[in-house]
Coordinates of all heavy atoms in Angstrom, one line a residue:
Y169 N 24.6 -3.5 5.9 CA 25.6 -4.2 5.1 C 25.0 -4.4 3.7 O 23.9 -4.6 3.5 CB 25.8 -5.7 5.6 CG 26.4 -5.6 7.0 CD1 25.5 -5.5 8.2 CD2 27.8 -5.7 7.2 CE1 26.1 -5.5 9.4 CE2 28.3 -5.6 8.5 CZ 27.5 -5.5 9.6 OH 28.0 -5.5 10.9
A170 N 26.0 -4.3 2.7 CA 25.6 -4.6 1.3 C 25.9 -6.1 1.2 O 27.0 -6.6 1.6 CB 26.5 -3.8 0.4
L171 N 25.0 -6.9 0.5 CA 25.3 -8.3 0.3 C 24.5 -8.8 -0.9 O 23.4 -8.3 -1.1 CB 25.2 -9.1 1.5 CG 23.9 -10.0 1.7 CD1 24.1 -10.9 2.8 CD2 22.7 -9.1 2.0
N172 N 25.1 -9.8 -1.6 CA 24.3 -10.5 -2.6 C 23.9 -11.8 -2.0 O 24.7 -12.7 -1.8 CB 25.1 -10.7 -3.9 CG 24.4 -11.5 -4.9 OD1 23.2 -11.9 -4.7 ND2 25.0 -11.7 -6.0
A173 N 22.6 -11.9 -1.6 CA 22.1 -13.1 -0.9 C 21.9 -14.3 -1.8 O 21.5 -15.4 -1.4 CB 20.8 -12.8 -0.2
D174 N 22.3 -14.2 -3.1 CA 22.3 -15.4 -4.0 C 23.5 -16.2 -3.6 O 23.6 -17.4 -4.0 CB 22.4 -15.0 -5.5 CG 21.1 -14.4 -5.9 OD1 20.0 -14.8 -5.5 OD2 21.2 -13.4 -6.7
I175 N 24.5 -15.6 -2.9 CA 25.7 -16.3 -2.7 C 25.8 -16.6 -1.1 O 26.0 -15.7 -0.3 CB 26.9 -15.4 -3.1 CG1 26.8 -15.2 -4.6 CG2 28.3 -16.0 -2.8 CD1 27.7 -14.1 -5.2
A176 N 25.7 -17.9 -0.8 CA 25.7 -18.2 0.6 C 26.9 -17.7 1.4 O 26.7 -17.3 2.6 CB 25.6 -19.8 0.8
A177 N 28.0 -17.8 0.8 CA 29.2 -17.3 1.5 C 29.1 -15.9 1.9 O 29.7 -15.5 3.0 CB 30.5 -17.6 0.6
E178 N 28.5 -15.0 1.1 CA 28.4 -13.6 1.4 C 27.5 -13.5 2.6 O 27.7 -12.6 3.5 CB 27.8 -12.8 0.2 CG 28.9 -12.6 -0.8 CD 28.5 -11.4 -1.8 OE1 27.7 -10.5 -1.4 OE2 29.0 -11.4 -2.9
V179 N 26.4 -14.3 2.6 CA 25.5 -14.2 3.8 C 26.2 -14.7 5.0 O 26.0 -14.1 6.1 CB 24.2 -15.0 3.5 CG1 23.2 -14.9 4.6 CG2 23.5 -14.6 2.2
E180 N 26.9 -15.8 4.9 CA 27.6 -16.3 6.0 C 28.6 -15.3 6.6 O 28.6 -15.2 7.9 CB 28.4 -17.5 5.5 CG 28.7 -18.6 6.6 CD 29.5 -19.8 6.0 OE1 29.1 -20.3 4.9 OE2 30.4 -20.1 6.6
A181 N 29.2 -14.6 5.8 CA 30.2 -13.6 6.3 C 29.5 -12.5 7.1 O 30.0 -12.1 8.2 CB 30.9 -12.9 5.1
V182 N 28.3 -12.1 6.6 CA 27.6 -11.0 7.4 C 27.1 -11.6 8.7 O 27.1 -11.0 9.8 CB 26.5 -10.4 6.5 CG1 25.6 -9.4 7.4 CG2 27.0 -9.7 5.3
I183 N 26.6 -12.9 8.6 CA 26.1 -13.5 9.9 C 27.2 -13.6 10.9 O 27.0 -13.3 12.1 CB 25.5 -14.9 9.6 CG1 24.2 -14.7 8.7 CG2 25.1 -15.6 10.9 CD1 23.5 -16.1 8.3
N184 N 28.4 -14.0 10.4 CA 29.5 -14.2 11.3 C 29.9 -12.9 12.0 O 30.3 -12.8 13.1 CB 30.7 -14.7 10.6 CG 30.6 -16.2 10.5 OD1 30.0 -16.9 11.4 ND2 31.1 -16.8 9.4
E185 N 29.7 -11.8 11.2 CA 30.1 -10.5 11.8 C 29.0 -10.0 12.8 O 29.3 -9.5 13.9 CB 30.2 -9.4 10.7 CG 30.9 -8.2 11.1 CD 31.5 -7.3 10.0 OE1 31.8 -7.9 8.9 OE2 31.5 -6.1 10.2
V186 N 27.7 -10.1 12.4 CA 26.6 -9.6 13.2 C 26.3 -10.6 14.5 O 25.9 -10.1 15.5 CB 25.4 -9.4 12.4 CG1 24.2 -9.1 13.2 CG2 25.6 -8.3 11.3
Q187 N 26.5 -11.9 14.2 CA 26.1 -12.9 15.2 C 24.7 -12.8 15.7 O 24.4 -12.6 16.9 CB 27.0 -12.7 16.5 CG 28.5 -12.9 16.2 CD 28.9 -14.4 16.2 OE1 28.5 -15.2 16.9 NE2 29.8 -14.7 15.2
P188 N 23.7 -12.8 14.7 CA 22.3 -12.7 15.1 C 21.8 -13.9 15.8 O 22.3 -15.0 15.5 CB 21.6 -12.3 13.8 CG 22.5 -13.1 12.8 CD 23.9 -13.0 13.3
D189 N 20.7 -13.8 16.5 CA 20.0 -14.9 17.0 C 19.0 -15.5 15.9 O 18.6 -16.6 15.9 CB 19.1 -14.6 18.2 CG 19.9 -14.0 19.3 OD1 20.7 -14.8 19.9 OD2 20.0 -12.8 19.5
L190 N 18.6 -14.6 15.0 CA 17.7 -15.0 14.0 C 17.9 -14.2 12.7 O 18.2 -13.0 12.7 CB 16.2 -14.7 14.5 CG 15.1 -14.8 13.5 CD1 14.9 -16.2 13.1 CD2 13.8 -14.2 14.1
V191 N 17.8 -14.9 11.5 CA 17.9 -14.2 10.2 C 16.5 -14.1 9.7 O 15.8 -15.1 9.6 CB 18.8 -14.9 9.2 CG1 18.7 -14.3 7.8 CG2 20.2 -14.9 9.7
I192 N 16.0 -12.9 9.4 CA 14.7 -12.7 8.8 C 14.8 -12.4 7.4 O 15.3 -11.4 6.9 CB 13.9 -11.5 9.5 CG1 13.9 -11.7 11.0 CG2 12.5 -11.3 9.0 CD1 13.3 -10.5 11.9
N193 N 14.5 -13.4 6.5 CA 14.7 -13.3 5.1 C 13.5 -12.6 4.4 O 12.5 -13.2 4.2 CB 14.9 -14.7 4.5 CG 14.9 -14.7 3.0 OD1 15.0 -13.6 2.4 ND2 14.8 -15.8 2.4
L194 N 13.7 -11.3 4.0 CA 12.7 -10.5 3.3 C 13.2 -10.1 2.0 O 12.7 -9.1 1.4 CB 12.2 -9.3 4.2 CG 11.6 -9.8 5.6 CD1 11.3 -8.6 6.4 CD2 10.4 -10.7 5.4
A195 N 14.1 -10.8 1.4 CA 14.6 -10.6 0.0 C 13.6 -11.4 -0.9 O 12.4 -11.4 -0.5 CB 16.0 -11.1 -0.1
L196 N 14.0 -12.0 -1.9 CA 13.1 -12.6 -2.8 C 13.2 -14.1 -2.7 O 14.2 -14.6 -2.1 CB 13.4 -12.2 -4.3 CG 13.2 -10.7 -4.5 CD1 13.6 -10.3 -5.9 CD2 11.9 -10.2 -4.1
P197 N 12.1 -14.9 -3.2 CA 12.2 -16.4 -3.0 C 13.4 -17.0 -3.5 O 13.8 -18.1 -3.0 CB 10.9 -16.8 -3.8 CG 10.0 -15.6 -3.7 CD 10.9 -14.4 -3.8
Y198 N 14.1 -16.4 -4.5 CA 15.3 -17.0 -5.1 C 16.4 -17.1 -4.1 O 17.3 -18.0 -4.2 CB 15.9 -16.2 -6.2 CG 14.9 -15.6 -7.2 CD1 14.9 -14.3 -7.6 CD2 14.0 -16.5 -7.8 CE1 14.0 -13.8 -8.5 CE2 13.0 -16.0 -8.7 CZ 13.0 -14.6 -9.1 OH 12.1 -14.1 -9.9
Q199 N 16.4 -16.3 -3.1 CA 17.5 -16.3 -2.1 C 17.2 -17.2 -0.9 O 18.1 -17.4 0.0 CB 17.7 -14.9 -1.6 CG 18.4 -14.0 -2.5 CD 17.5 -13.3 -3.5 OE1 16.5 -12.7 -3.1 NE2 17.9 -13.3 -4.7
D200 N 16.1 -17.9 -0.8 CA 15.8 -18.7 0.3 C 16.9 -19.8 0.6 O 17.3 -19.9 1.8 CB 14.4 -19.5 0.2 CG 13.2 -18.6 0.3 OD1 13.4 -17.3 0.4 OD2 12.1 -19.1 0.2
L201 N 17.3 -20.5 -0.4 CA 18.2 -21.6 -0.2 C 19.6 -21.2 0.2 O 20.2 -21.7 1.2 CB 18.2 -22.6 -1.3 CG 16.9 -23.3 -1.6 CD1 17.1 -24.4 -2.7 CD2 16.2 -23.8 -0.4
P202 N 20.2 -20.2 -0.5 CA 21.5 -19.7 -0.1 C 21.5 -19.2 1.4 O 22.4 -19.4 2.1 CB 21.9 -18.6 -1.0 CG 20.9 -18.6 -2.1 CD 19.8 -19.6 -1.8
I203 N 20.3 -18.5 1.7 CA 20.3 -18.0 3.1 C 20.2 -19.1 4.1 O 20.8 -19.1 5.2 CB 19.2 -16.9 3.2 CG1 19.5 -15.7 2.3 CG2 19.0 -16.4 4.7 CD1 18.4 -14.6 2.3
M204 N 19.4 -20.1 3.7 CA 19.2 -21.3 4.7 C 20.6 -22.0 4.8 O 20.9 -22.5 5.9 CB 18.1 -22.3 4.1 CG 16.7 -21.7 4.4 SD 15.5 -22.8 3.8 CE 15.3 -24.1 5.1
D205 N 21.3 -22.1 3.7 CA 22.7 -22.7 3.8 C 23.6 -21.9 4.7 O 24.3 -22.5 5.5 CB 23.3 -22.8 2.4 CG 22.7 -23.9 1.5 OD1 22.2 -24.9 2.1 OD2 22.6 -23.7 0.3
A206 N 23.5 -20.6 4.6 CA 24.3 -19.8 5.5 C 23.9 -20.0 6.9 O 24.8 -20.0 7.8 CB 24.3 -18.3 5.1
C207 N 22.6 -20.1 7.2 CA 22.1 -20.3 8.6 C 22.7 -21.7 9.1 O 23.0 -21.7 10.3 CB 20.6 -20.2 8.6 SG 20.0 -18.5 8.5

Side-chain angles (χ1 to χ4, degrees):
Y169 297 85
L171 98 169
N172 178 359
D174 288 323
I175 300 167
E178 285 198 23
V179 182
E180 206 181 312
V182 176
I183 294 177
N184 279 329
E185 197 165 327
V186 172
Q187 300 276 322
D189 300 289
L190 171 68
V191 172
I192 305 175
N193 169 15
L194 302 175
L196 299 180
Y198 316 130
Q199 283 87 50
D200 288 4
L201 299 189
I203 297 176
M204 287 178 81
D205 284 331
C207 284

